C-alpha cells in the first residue's frame, strides 16, 4: 500500500467499523429490557472463566467498563447464582468473583448461541476465507487492545478472545 492509499484505506476501515458497531448494537437491541441487561451481565462470565477469580474493580478495568455498571451486573450474576464471592487470599477484607457451575452452563449457552449465529453468517465462506478473516481480526483486536493500553498509560490485556 502506498502512502497516498493509506488515508483512504484508513477511512474505509473506519467506515466499516462504524457500520459493524451499528449492526452489533442493533443485534444486541433485539433482546430489549431485562433480557438485554442480563445478557450484558453474562458477558462478564467470559473473562472470569478464562482468568479465574478476580476482584470486581479488576474486572471492570479489564473489560473497560464503568465500575458502577460492572457492580450492577455482578449483583445480577450473584443473585442468579452464576457468580459467587470468595475471600481474597491477599486481603481478607476484599472479595473475588468466581463463576459457579450454573454460570459455566450459562456461558456455554451464550457461546453456542454466538457460534451458531456466526456459522449462519459465514456459511458460504470457504475455510480459507474464514481462517484468513479470523487471523486478521485477531491481529486487529490485539493491536487495538495494545493501543488502548498505551493510550490509557498502562498495559492492556490482549488475551480476551471470548468476549
Amino acid at each position: 500500500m502506498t502512502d497516498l492509499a493509506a488515508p483512504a484505506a484508513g477511512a474505509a476501515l473506519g467506515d466499516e467499523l462504524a457500520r459493524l458497531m451499528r449492526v452489533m448494537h442493533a443485534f444486541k437491541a433485539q433482546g430489549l429490557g431485562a433480557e438485554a441487561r442480563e445478557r450484558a451481565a453474562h458477558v462478564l462470565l467470559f473473562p472470569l472463566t478464562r482468568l479465574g477469580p478476580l476482584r470486581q474493580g479488576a474486572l471492570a478495568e479489564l473489560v473497560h467498563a464503568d465500575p458502577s455498571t460492572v457492580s450492577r451486573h455482578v449483583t445480577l450474576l450473584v443473585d442468579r447464582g452464576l457468580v459467587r464471592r470468595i475471600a481474597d487470599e491477599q486481603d481478607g477484607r476484599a472479595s473475588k468473583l468466581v463463576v459457579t457451575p450454573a454460570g459455566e452452563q450459562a456461558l456455554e449457552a451464550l457461546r453456542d448461541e454466538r457460534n451458531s449465529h456466526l456459522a449462519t453468517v459465514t456459511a458460504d465462506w470457504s475455510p480459507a476465507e474464514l481462517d484468513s478473516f479470523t487471523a486478521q481480526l485477531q491481529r486487529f483486536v490485539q493491536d487495538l487492545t495494545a493501543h488502548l493500553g498505551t493510550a490509557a498509560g498502562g498495559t492492556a490485556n490482549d488475551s480476551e478472545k471470548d468476549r
Side-chain angles (χ1 to χ4, degrees), residues 9-69:
L13 176 60
D15 290 346
E16 289 306 311
L17 287 174
R19 274 184 66 210
L20 175 63
M21 290 188 298
R22 286 191 302 273
V23 169
M24 294 303 295
H25 179 72
F27 183 74
K28 289 177 181 180
Q30 287 179 345
L32 298 174
E35 184 181 323
R37 283 190 298 278
E38 194 165 315
R39 183 174 294 280
H42 286 179
V43 169
L44 297 177
L45 296 171
F46 286 102
L48 286 172
T49 298
R50 190 182 61 258
L51 300 174
L54 292 171
R55 284 187 179 191
Q56 189 169 299
L59 180 60
E61 191 174 305
L62 180 70
V63 298
H64 309 288
D66 183 78
S68 64
T69 301

Side-chain angles (χ1 to χ4, degrees), residues 74-86:
V74 166
T75 297
L76 180 69
L77 293 172
V78 170
D79 289 349
R80 299 279 194 273
L82 304 177
V83 168
R84 65 183 171 89
R85 297 179 190 276
I86 60 171

Side-chain angles (χ1 to χ4, degrees), residues 116-131 133:
S116 175
H117 287 300
L118 291 173
T120 300
V121 170
T122 60
D124 64 342
W125 293 27
S126 72
E129 288 172 321
L130 189 56
D131 288 346
F133 178 74

